[in-house]
Structures are given as structure tokens and as C-alpha cells.
Amino acid sequence: MRKVAILGATGSIGASALDVIARHPQRFRVTALAAHRKVDELVALCVRFRPEVAVIADSAFAASLRQKLTAAGVAARVASGEEGLREAAASADSDTVIAAIVGAAGLDSTLAAARAGKRVLLANKEAVVMAGALLFEALRSGGGELIPIDSEHNAIFQCLPSGKPDLVRAGVRRVLLTASGGPFRGRVRSELGAITPEQACAHPNWMMGRKISVDSATLMNKGLEVIEAHWLFGVAPEQIDVVVHRESIVHSLVEYVDGSVLAQLGNPDMRTALAHALAWPERIEAGVAALDLLKIAQLNFEAPDRATFRCLDLAYHALAVGGTAPTVLNAANEIAVAAFLERTLPFLAIPELIEATLGGVPAIAAQDLEAVIYADLTARQYAQRIIRRDFC
Ligand code: NDP
Ligand code: MG
């Protein structure tokens, strides 16, 4: 029986994870569920999955959560704030932690799960972008393991020799991340000036949270994934390529020196990656429809439009600079996306703001958590100053 804590339980990944878990009550038990502010949604999940602990990250909602759980007849203990998240991530009650909080807010608890030696199912890509070296150090020192949930990285994980392969010995030449191209694939710059949050969040293939939906529309999602692939698989930036594949059926590929290319295919449904990671190395039913290749008939591939969607190159640039540059990239992007969703920042200003922040906040060595947090905060303040100066 796997004992699973889900951080970000009320989100899109949380819902997919709980759907898979509910199909296998004899295999999985939910030990902790955490949300940010959505108390009613969290209570409904607690009624259904009966965790030992319910965590609300915004402590102002703790009393309300406690009261509603009691009214619903749920005996779960209530924890709150960063400390509550950390506690749920590291608790001896669980052996598996699904890190599915969106953004930098997930870093602390993801690191706590790694240090505590858990099996970390990583969706929170921002944590590895911000602090990849520290996360892997924490996994090593804690004796834990990381299994990627991000569909591309889960696909690559499936296409690599199992265990912890030495990629050179295994003969890996490069990894290819596929990208759907987002809702604006094929558009030119002049067509993107008046994009609204609703248009940016209407992804053609995937149902996701709003932040990652905007990241998909700008191609920053793929940029973050390039950095994620670097840390997860130890591949150099020049060994990571991006190919646009609009059907989102091939989730990513690994090319070997002998000319073999292994790919993982499936319908675009996050439950496949979640089921794979939850049961690994076994396979379990995920509720995902079988892939009908005859119905799909065609798979298309094209190069990304790097001139229109500049965020991809900004991410490669940050990875090449190293140190805290990816932390700065991520922080500026989070501020830019939030401002875009609040209709303060135009869509095309997102890469401009990130580029200006990368230029204005020098990278330092990311040797410890303090350096990373300092870079994150400095970049947020810098980006916010530009927004106030130029867009308010
Ligand atoms: P959602 O916006 O749907 O959900 C986010 C979750 O995080 C919610 O449970 C939310 O709680 C919680 N949360 C938000 N802010 C905080 C905070 N400050 N402290 C604690 N919890 C917080 O996002 P997704 O599920 O789409 O994405 C989650 C992560 O997974 C992201 O990093 C994303 O990049 C990654 N991912 C997502 C994929 C997808 O298909 N959705 C695919 C691959 C990766 P509340 O509901 O209370 O606000
Ligand atoms: Mg992805």
C-alpha cells in the first residue's frame, strides 16, 4: 500500500492524481491533501479521501477549514502555512509526495519531501528550474527518488534505460521535447498584440491551470521544460531539442547513437503520467482511452517559431548563463504571467519583461537556498518595478 501526500490537491494535476488513486483503493491511501485557499474544494476532497492531514497554505483560512471539516464529520488534523506544507511533505505518514503546487510556492515543500527521502512525483517544474542543483542534492542526501509527472519528462523517463543510467554509457545522443505550440501556433507577432487571458488559457489539447496555460501560449512552458530536462536527466543544453507536434500524441523522444529513436505515445491525458509514476515500476489502469492511431492517421512535426515566441530562447539563455539565472527567469515569468492574467501586462510584453529582468538582475552562484531565495525575490521586485513604471 503506497501512502500518498498530494500538495496542490485542488488543482488540475491534483484532480488527475486523485482520479487514478480512486481507481486503486487497494494500492493507494491518501495521507495528506493540501491547497492554497480553496477551502470548500479541499473539504470535499477530504470527505471523499479521508486523509490524516488537511493543509491550507494560507493560514487565514485554517479556522474555516477546521470548522467545515468538523461539520462534514471528517477527523483530519488541520495544518497551515509553509510549515504545514513542509510537515505534510516530510511526514512519516507518507512514502510518496505528489509535488503539484504551481510556481515558486512549491519549492520549500518539494525540497522537504526530497530531504525526507520520499518518492517525489514532480509536477512543480518551477521548483527544479529555480533550484535544480539543490533539489538533487536533497534527493541524494535524503535517499529519495524523483519520478517526473510533466508529460514530456515522464515520456523521456520511460524511454531511458531504467534505474539511474549514465547517459553516455547508455548511448544517448539527445532528447527531443515535443511542444503542442499552444493556442497561437502559426500566428505572427502582429496577431498577438490584443490577446486576452481567456484566449491564452484556451489550450487546444490539454486542460490545465491558468499559469501553465499562459506558459504554453508563450512557449515559456517549453523553456522551463528544457531546464527541467537538463537537471532531471543530466543532459547538456545542446543535447536538448524542441520540436512542435500539434497533436500532442508523441510526448517526447530519446535519440541514441546507433540511430534508434524511442518515443512514448498516448492520448493527451495527464492520468497516464500519474499512473505510471504512482505505480512505477509496475503498470496500472489509468482510465485513459486507448490510442487509436488509425483515427489520428497523421502525426505532424515542425520547428518552433523562436522569433515570435521568444521565451524559449530566453530559457536556453538562462540555462547557458547558469547560477541563479534560471531562478531569475522563473521569477520574472511568474510576475509577468500574473500581471497578464490581471490584464495589466500585454501578452507580447511577457518576454520583454523577462528579458529586461534577466539583464537587470545579475546571476550569482546558486550554492545554497539563501542565494536562490535572494535571486527570486530580487527578480520579482525588479519586474514589478518595471510593470509599475511602464504599464500602470
Ligand atoms: P492549478 O492552478 O490547477 O493548481 C495549482 C494548485 O496549487 C492548487 O491546488 C492550488 O491551491 C495550489 N497552490 C497555488 N498557490 C499555492 C500556494 N501559494 N501555496 C500552496 N498551494 C498553492 O495548476 P496545475 O495543476 O495545472 O499545475 C500544477 C503544477 O504542475 C505546475 O507547476 C504546472 O507547471 C505543473 N504541470 C501541470 C500540468 C497540467 O496538465 N496541469 C502538466 C505538467 C506540469 P488552490 O486551488 O487552493 O488555489
Ligand atoms: Mg509538459
Side-chain angles (χ1 to χ4, degrees):
M1 178 75 92
R2 279 211 162 263
K3 295 174 286 179
V4 187
I6 307 181
L7 312 181
T10 46
S12 154
I13 291 287
S16 294
L18 287 166
D19 183 283
V20 173
I21 286 172
R23 290 166 193 275
H24 303 279
Q26 70 296 353
R27 265 182 185 267
F28 304 113
R29 187 159 63 79
V30 175
T31 53
L33 292 171
H36 184 212
R37 291 189 180 132
K38 291 201 180 124
V39 172
D40 292 339
E41 283 86 338
L42 182 58
V43 170
L45 295 178
C46 290
V47 168
R48 186 157 172 226
F49 292 97
R50 303 275 159 176
E52 272 107 70
V53 188
V55 185
I56 195 83
D58 187 336
S59 305
F61 294 83
S64 151
L65 175 61
R66 205 168 279 123
Q67 186 209 331
K68 287 179 176 176
L69 284 174
T70 308
V74 178
R77 199 160 54 74
V78 170
S80 66
E82 283 260 298
E83 207 178 300
L85 291 174
R86 209 176 304 135
E87 195 187 306
S91 162
D93 290 345
S94 64
D95 47 48
T96 302
V97 174
I98 302 186
I101 291 175
V102 60
L107 175 62
D108 189 63
S109 51
T110 303
L111 283 173
R115 269 189 227 111
K118 307 297 181 193
R119 172 180 284 193
V120 181
L121 272 47
L122 184 81
N124 179 215
K125 64 189 86 185
E126 295 90 350
V128 70
V129 168
M130 291 176 74
L134 298 179
L135 178 57
F136 278 87
E137 202 178 290
L139 282 163
R140 256 192 312 276
S141 72
E145 60 186 348
L146 187 151
I147 304 186
I149 295 300
D150 210 350
S151 57
E152 297 75 4
H153 306 75
N154 184 268
I156 292 168
F157 184 94
Q158 294 196 42
C159 295
L160 287 172
S162 62
K164 289 196 179 67
D166 171 338
L167 296 189
V168 176
R169 241 192 9 242
V172 172
R173 186 185 281 148
R174 60 175 182 148
V175 301
L176 279 127
L177 298 173
T178 52
S180 69
F184 310 131
R185 185 183 55 80
R187 296 216 199 166
V188 295
R189 212 181 140 74
S190 58
E191 296 171 304
L192 298 174
I195 291 300
T196 64
E198 292 70 30
Q199 291 169 312
C201 288
H203 196 280
N205 302 345
W206 300 94
M207 278 292 294
M208 307 181 288
R210 282 163 73 76
K211 193 263 176 182
I212 184 176
S213 296
V214 176
D215 286 347
S216 296
T218 60
L219 274 200
M220 180 53 96
N221 184 47
K222 215 47 55 182
L224 298 176
E225 290 181 358
V226 166
I227 302 173
E228 184 183 6
H230 166 72
W231 288 112
L232 259 51
F233 306 116
V235 276
E238 56 277 12
Q239 288 178 292
I240 309 169
D241 276 337
V242 172
V243 58
V244 172
H245 163 50
R246 63 171 175 260
E247 293 87 359
S248 296
I249 297 294
V250 177
H251 297 303
S252 277
L253 315 92
V254 177
E255 182 184 301
Y256 289 86
V257 288
D258 61 4
S260 299
V261 179
L262 301 192
Q264 186 255 351
L265 281 71
N267 284 315
D269 187 323
M270 289 308 294
R271 291 177 300 177
T272 297
L274 278 152
H276 169 265
L278 276 163
W280 187 81
E282 291 172 41
R283 296 275 181 175
I284 55 171
E285 216 277 317
V288 177
L291 185 65
D292 186 343
L293 280 176
L294 295 181
K295 202 162 136 206
I296 295 160
Q298 268 195 25
L299 298 174
N300 291 278
F301 301 94
E302 63 195 82
D305 177 355
R306 290 163 179 263
T308 305
F309 300 97
R310 294 180 46 237
C311 287
L312 180 58
D313 281 353
L314 290 174
Y316 270 105
H317 168 73
L319 181 57
V321 172
T324 55
T327 317
V328 171
L329 172 97
N330 178 67
N333 182 55
E334 287 194 26
I335 295 294
V337 171
F340 168 70
L341 288 171
E342 286 159 14
R343 299 173 206 276
T344 308
L345 195 73
F347 185 75
L348 287 173
I350 295 175
E352 285 167 18
L353 184 70
I354 297 165
E355 187 170 32
T357 308
L358 279 168
V361 180
I364 54 173
Q367 83 272 24
D368 53 28
L369 195 55
E370 285 68 39
V372 167
I373 289 170
Y374 175 77
D376 176 69
L377 195 69
T378 313
R380 280 167 199 273
Q381 289 167 346
Y382 191 94
Q384 267 153 350
R385 270 201 305 277
I386 298 182
I387 293 177
R388 275 198 301 273
R389 190 192 66 198
D390 296 348
F391 297 98
C392 288

